[in-house]
Amino acid sequence: MTPTSPTSLTRRDVLAAGAVLGAAATIGGTTKPAAAARVPVAREEHPVVIVGSGFGGGVAALRFAQAGVPVLVLERGRRWPTGPNATTFPTLSSLDERALWYGSANQVLGKPLFVAPYVGLLEAVTGRNMTAMCAAGVGGGSLVYQGMTLQPNEELFNHCLPEELDYARMAAVHYPRVARMLRLQTAPDELVRSPTYKPARIFAEHVQREGYDLEKIPMPIDWSWALRELKGEMRPSYTNGDSALGVNNGGKHSIDVTYIKQAEDTGRAKVLTQHNVIDIERAKDGRWVVHVDRTDDRGTILQRKILTTKTLVMAAGSINTTKLLVRSVGRGHLPRIDGLGTNWGTNGDRIYLWTSLAEDFGAVQGGPVVYGSKDWSTPETANTIIQASIPGLGINARSTMMVGFGISDARGRFAYDWLTDEAKLTWPRNGDARLFEAIQARAKRIAAPMGSLADTNAVVPSTWHPLGGVAMGTSADLAGRVHDLPGLYVLDGALIPGSTAACNPSMTIAAVAERAMDEIVAHDLARIV
């Protein structure tokens, strides 16, 4: 189905709402999908059902399949194939319905976006004092994340996560395994020297002037694609910053083209797209009953499925895994789960628009990310700051982006509201204030002289890195086994208690899932099969 016409956003629109990385943080509200006049119902049974196809779901699908176990992966979104000169993803300079999951309100950057419902990329979940962004599509959050792939050090890891995970072993086995799967690279100097990567060079100069740590950030990107763009071999996607909502040209090693592809290549993993899980029950015999709506591109329900399985892996992301389980428990469809909905955090996200009278960042900026600066000296406020591009909109506003994230002990919670039959998020107002002070102090020094910072989170408190809700230690063990509910696993960001130790979450989520799957294959396979 062809998406409707795009809506162009002016530079003023982007600057006013915080630009690029905060772009969709103002999307809110939900609508229930319509159903066809008569909706057929199908019943199926499967050995293993995985809900979600992002970092946790991709790892689980591949490792089960390699162990000889057939798996069914349910993904509410669509596939987003890329390639040279592809136009698969929308861009922030020309938004259309592809940007929005059909359950989100029709607005971006606080500006109405009147498009038809579509099985788009982003869903915003609004709660009290916080909006959390979620992805939809095969590959999950890997489709839209900038790609920063950072591994915490042992001190910070043990500060945020249970020491029983054994950092030494994870650093020797599981983090390197993820790095190999995602084929991490840093941006080559040839690219960084090119004209549109001037903002990255300016950021590096300012960071070093202040005596801060500066490093190139490992990314799951084959940078030769960006170099080919410089040579004019394909339409720009990296070199003009049009990669915040997915890289059209290809070369990004997202989960759909790594873990999921390898799982499907075994012949034992089947991915069903546009299959939206709406409820979970536990049958009297202990098996899991998964209620699914199969939808078309507009969210219309075409078929309802009732799937039964002995092994259910929840990997729909922190927000949707938590919401599904909280709602199912609230309805009485699942037994009580200790600590469910708690230990939820934002990973300390902060997004700034950096405007400078002293520096000319240029109207066109290359991306996604080249450099970052770590201050990991104190676990309580350890943080990382990176520079990110904003898309070219034809006007030079002398601005670029800085993004920070770090360790905060602030926690929110999800609770069931029986009046609305929804799981609702509550976040403490100014919950990450101590961390934000540390990030902002560093960001201001980097932006000086004659630089100003517009704090987008002060306008719309938001996170692109939600974590927790079914956390290890409180609701599940270290391998994601939900306490007292055999056969129910959580293997995504919901398992991580609120922070991934001053790193963006992707690598730690995948590494924890790899560790968990090693244990599950070694000890649980007989029961599963």
Side-chain angles (χ1 to χ4, degrees):
M1 187 172 288
T2 303
T4 55
S5 301
T7 296
S8 296
L9 297 179
T10 66
R11 172 70 68 169
R12 181 178 179 183
D13 293 326
V14 175
L15 302 187
V20 185
L21 296 178
T26 54
I27 305 170
T30 57
T31 57
K32 295 188 181 297
R38 286 188 175 182
V39 179
V41 177
R43 295 178 181 271
E44 301 173 6
E45 186 165 347
H46 298 273
V48 176
V49 172
I50 300 172
V51 181
S53 62
F55 288 98
V59 170
L62 176 58
R63 303 311 174 198
F64 271 129
Q66 288 177 331
V69 180
V71 295
L72 180 71
V73 180
L74 303 175
E75 170 54 55
R76 65 178 182 162
R78 50 164 280 196
R79 293 183 187 266
W80 297 84
T82 61
N85 297 317
T87 57
T88 300
F89 294 107
T91 65
L92 287 175
S93 57
S94 185
L95 286 169
D96 59 37
E97 64 194 33
R98 291 172 296 172
L100 297 179
W101 174 251
Y102 55 72
S104 289
N106 290 327
Q107 57 173 306
V108 175
L109 300 170
K111 176 179 179 178
L113 181 63
F114 295 108
V115 293
Y118 189 70
V119 59
L121 276 167
L122 294 172
E123 176 196 17
V125 175
T126 56
R128 182 178 298 174
N129 303 321
M130 182 57 59
T131 296
M133 300 307 302
C134 314
V138 177
S142 73
L143 296 171
V144 296
Y145 82 140
Q146 294 288 286
M148 298 163 287
T149 309
L150 295 172
Q151 176 180 332
N153 64 27
E154 185 169 8
E155 180 185 17
L156 300 187
F157 182 94
N158 289 335
H159 181 83
C160 296
L161 297 161
E163 290 190 25
E164 293 79 6
L165 283 170
D166 188 355
Y167 180 84
R169 181 166 177 265
M170 290 193 65
V173 177
H174 302 107
Y175 278 111
R177 187 186 297 170
V178 174
R180 289 192 298 271
M181 286 293 298
L182 300 183
R183 289 170 278 172
L184 301 182
Q185 299 180 19
T186 58
D189 290 342
E190 178 185 356
L191 181 68
V192 179
R193 288 193 298 265
S194 64
T196 63
Y197 285 83
K198 185 178 180 182
R201 300 195 300 273
I202 292 172
F203 174 79
E205 291 168 4
H206 282 231
V207 166
Q208 291 177 318
R209 180 201 64 202
E210 294 302 318
Y212 293 140
D213 160 86
L214 179 74
E215 299 178 20
K216 282 186 176 180
I217 301 294
M219 305 283 282
I221 290 173
D222 179 351
W223 290 101
S224 68
W225 292 71
L227 293 173
R228 290 172 63 192
E229 290 180 13
L230 290 181
K231 297 174 183 177
E233 295 180 12
M234 63 185 78
R235 184 187 301 117
S237 185
Y238 293 102
T239 54
N240 67 349
D242 263 341
S243 54
L245 295 179
V247 178
N248 275 311
N249 273 341
K252 182 180 179 183
H253 305 139
S254 48
I255 296 299
D256 54 324
V257 297
T258 54
Y259 280 97
I260 291 294
K261 183 180 186 302
Q262 288 191 29
E264 290 181 305
D265 286 348
T266 68
R268 299 186 188 95
K270 183 178 182 181
V271 178
L272 297 181
T273 60
Q274 296 174 219
H275 278 62
N276 187 32
V277 175
I278 59 170
D279 198 9
I280 299 163
E281 295 181 85
R282 193 184 193 194
K284 291 181 180 180
D285 63 2
R287 292 184 301 168
W288 304 99
V289 181
V290 184
H291 296 263
V292 186
D293 287 341
R294 181 172 67 85
T295 71
D296 66 9
D297 287 352
R298 302 301 181 192
T300 300
I301 299 168
L302 304 177
Q303 182 185 35
R304 288 195 165 99
K305 293 185 176 181
I306 301 173
L307 309 181
T308 304
T309 182
K310 290 173 63 178
T311 302
L312 176 61
V313 178
M314 298 300 299
S318 166
I319 295 294
N320 285 300
T321 286
T322 303
K323 285 177 62 181
L324 277 167
L325 293 177
V326 167
R327 188 166 177 256
S328 295
V329 170
R331 287 176 155 190
H333 295 170
L334 292 179
R336 179 180 177 275
I337 298 173
D338 289 341
L340 179 63
T342 66
N343 256 331
W344 187 89
T346 67
N347 206 44
D349 282 4
R350 208 70 174 178
I351 301 171
Y352 298 99
L353 181 72
W354 172 17
T355 302
S356 177
L357 298 177
E359 302 285 6
D360 183 1
F361 299 109
V364 181
Q365 302 178 13
V369 171
V370 175
Y371 290 113
S373 174
K374 302 173 184 175
D375 180 0
W376 291 4
S377 57
T378 304
E380 288 73 20
T381 55
N383 64 84
T384 302
I385 297 175
I386 61 96
Q387 178 272 332
S389 61
I390 58 177
L393 298 176
I395 301 172
N396 186 355
R398 306 186 73 91
S399 299
T400 192
M401 302 300 298
M402 270 196 271
V403 178
F405 38 84
I407 296 176
S408 171
D409 60 3
R411 295 292 180 265
R413 66 179 298 138
F414 280 87
Y416 180 66
D417 183 342
W418 64 271
L419 289 174
T420 60
D421 190 31
E422 294 177 347
K424 293 189 175 180
L425 171 64
T426 299
W427 176 253
R429 187 179 296 276
N430 300 319
D432 290 325
R434 183 182 178 191
L435 170 65
F436 289 166
E437 289 173 3
I439 292 175
Q440 183 143 330
R442 287 217 302 141
K444 281 185 174 180
R445 289 184 60 180
I446 293 169
M450 302 178 69
S452 64
L453 296 174
D455 182 356
T456 70
N457 293 75
V459 179
V460 182
S462 61
T463 180
W464 287 74
H465 299 143
L467 293 166
V470 200
M472 60 177 68
T474 53
S475 302
D477 70 8
L478 304 184
R481 303 180 186 96
V482 177
H483 294 324
D484 302 320
L485 293 175
L488 179 61
Y489 300 83
V490 171
L491 292 179
D492 59 11
L495 187 62
I496 307 295
S499 173
T500 48
C503 299
N504 65 315
S506 57
M507 194 176 199
T508 293
I509 292 172
V512 168
E514 288 279 17
R515 179 193 180 280
M517 285 305 303
D518 280 357
E519 184 168 333
I520 291 165
V521 169
H523 300 290
D524 298 6
L525 213 58
R527 184 198 60 78
I528 292 170
V529 176

